[in-house]
Amino acid sequence: MQGHWLLAKLGKRVLRPGGIELTKRLIEHAKPAAGDRIVEFGPGVGRTASILLEQQPAEYVAIDPNPEGTSALMKILENYPQARLECADAKETGLDDASADLVVGEAMLSMQSDEDKLTIMKEAFRVLAPGGRYAIHELGIRPDDASPEFVKGIAKALSRSIKVGARPLTVPLWSELLEETGFEIEYSDTNPMHLLEPKRIISDEGPKGAAKFFFNVARNPAARKRIMEMRKQFRTHDDNLQAVAFVARKPLAS
Ligand SMILES: C[S@@+](CC[C@H](N)C(=O)[O-])C[C@H]1O[C@@H](n2cnc3c(N)ncnc32)[C@H](O)[C@@H]1O
């Protein structure tokens, strides 16, 4: 099972590298507003969907081709008549041109090849109306001048342990892809990649949620072994891993 779905199965709801703290900073800069048409790529179990829907947007569309998070996500969406899930790939959403004001995606580009990252960014660009915002939160590599071989080496080590093709990039490389797509970057930020550190788990899930997660991990030795291995990899590469976030705008004339 892919690492993020294992964590979700054990009760974890925040599955992105920079935690809820980086999500909150990202959303603050993306400024979702009442009346916005919002699209979320790869919503997982819907933690960010809840935050976005609290703003009472005119429309919220979740795009996810995988069924693992669907029932948890639908429990949130069913409280909002303007929200729906489309079972589709972010590379080809089927949504109309210029039909969104804000596209959000967290921890879903990092698992794609560079070519697919660009295809997904182009799809975000296409569905956004001129002036629309694209907010992303992904896995990053530091230092900024890390060589391509170094970036590939870390990606390989991580992919083995989390069982997902992890393909993080440096901040300049993420920026380059956004700009190649046609976006203008308005905000960028980083946070430590502490997804599996106890302090971060408590901050992400709250004391009750964290206690439930720790309890579920403790009583499942196979899952515990996997999670410890994932955390070991994250700790080994701590100096070179980080979470990155950007808000980029589709120009008014493009
Ligand atoms: C690591 S989880 C992150 C979930 C959530 N965004 C979060 O940060 O907690 C990756 C999510 O991206 C979705 N995903 C993977 N590939 C996708 C694609 N090509 N198009 C849309 N969603 C995708 C997965 O199904 C999953 O919901």
Side-chain angles (χ1 to χ4, degrees):
M1 187 188 284
Q2 293 181 321
H4 51 278
W5 293 129
L6 174 66
L7 297 175
K9 207 173 150 212
L10 296 163
K12 199 157 181 0
R13 296 174 65 215
V14 175
L15 306 171
R16 74 294 309 252
I20 205 71
E21 54 201 48
L22 187 58
T23 296
K24 285 190 176 154
R25 301 206 297 263
L26 177 73
I27 300 297
E28 201 183 300
H29 286 84
K31 298 188 178 67
D36 271 350
R37 297 157 299 168
I38 300 179
V39 174
E40 185 177 4
F41 291 169
V45 293
R47 183 64 183 87
T48 296
S50 308
I51 298 175
L52 295 168
L53 283 161
E54 273 166 20
Q55 302 304 317
Q56 292 296 345
E59 187 177 63
Y60 167 94
V61 186
I63 299 287
D64 205 312
N66 301 310
E68 287 90 337
T70 303
S71 69
L73 177 69
M74 288 314 295
K75 275 201 191 107
I76 295 164
L77 301 197
E78 67 196 16
N79 299 314
Y80 297 90
Q82 72 274 49
R84 68 178 200 273
L85 165 66
E86 295 283 351
C87 179
D89 194 304
K91 292 197 278 297
E92 197 178 354
T93 60
L95 299 176
D96 289 341
D97 288 0
S99 59
D101 303 296
L102 171 63
V103 175
V104 178
E106 294 177 289
M108 61 79 60
L109 290 169
S110 303
M111 59 178 72
Q112 320 285 339
S113 67
D114 286 356
E115 197 188 340
D116 286 350
K117 285 182 180 80
L118 197 57
T119 306
I120 290 173
M121 287 183 179
K122 285 183 179 161
E123 183 65 356
F125 194 88
R126 184 187 69 76
V127 303
L128 278 168
R133 297 93 75 207
Y134 183 35
I136 64 169
H137 171 172
E138 295 290 341
L139 192 56
I141 297 276
R142 52 188 175 177
D144 284 356
D145 61 356
S147 71
E149 295 72 35
F150 183 81
V151 172
K152 270 192 198 141
I154 294 193
K156 217 170 159 185
L158 286 183
S159 302
R160 264 198 305 271
S161 96
I162 62 176
K163 296 207 192 317
V164 182
R167 296 173 176 106
L169 298 175
T170 60
V171 167
L173 289 172
W174 279 116
S175 307
E176 231 172 72
L177 281 183
L178 286 165
E179 284 166 354
E180 188 180 336
T181 308
F183 285 109
E184 288 168 357
I185 296 171
E186 293 196 336
Y187 156 82
S188 78
D189 201 348
T190 62
N191 216 35
M193 166 29 186
H194 284 171
L195 178 69
L196 294 179
E197 293 301 328
K199 199 171 149 210
R200 173 69 70 72
I201 294 173
I202 295 166
S203 136
D204 279 353
E205 311 299 333
K208 260 192 181 166
K212 187 176 137 203
F213 175 72
F214 293 138
F215 176 74
N216 289 339
V217 173
R219 66 178 191 165
N220 186 334
R224 186 171 185 280
K225 191 164 172 255
R226 269 281 307 280
I227 289 169
M228 290 299 135
E229 171 54 26
M230 281 160 58
R231 192 173 71 184
K232 193 172 139 205
Q233 282 298 329
F234 295 158
R235 283 184 177 171
T236 302
H237 298 290
D238 188 47
D239 284 350
N240 299 108
L241 283 179
Q242 63 182 350
V244 300
F246 295 90
V247 176
R249 194 177 288 275
K250 176 170 176 169
L252 282 171
S254 60

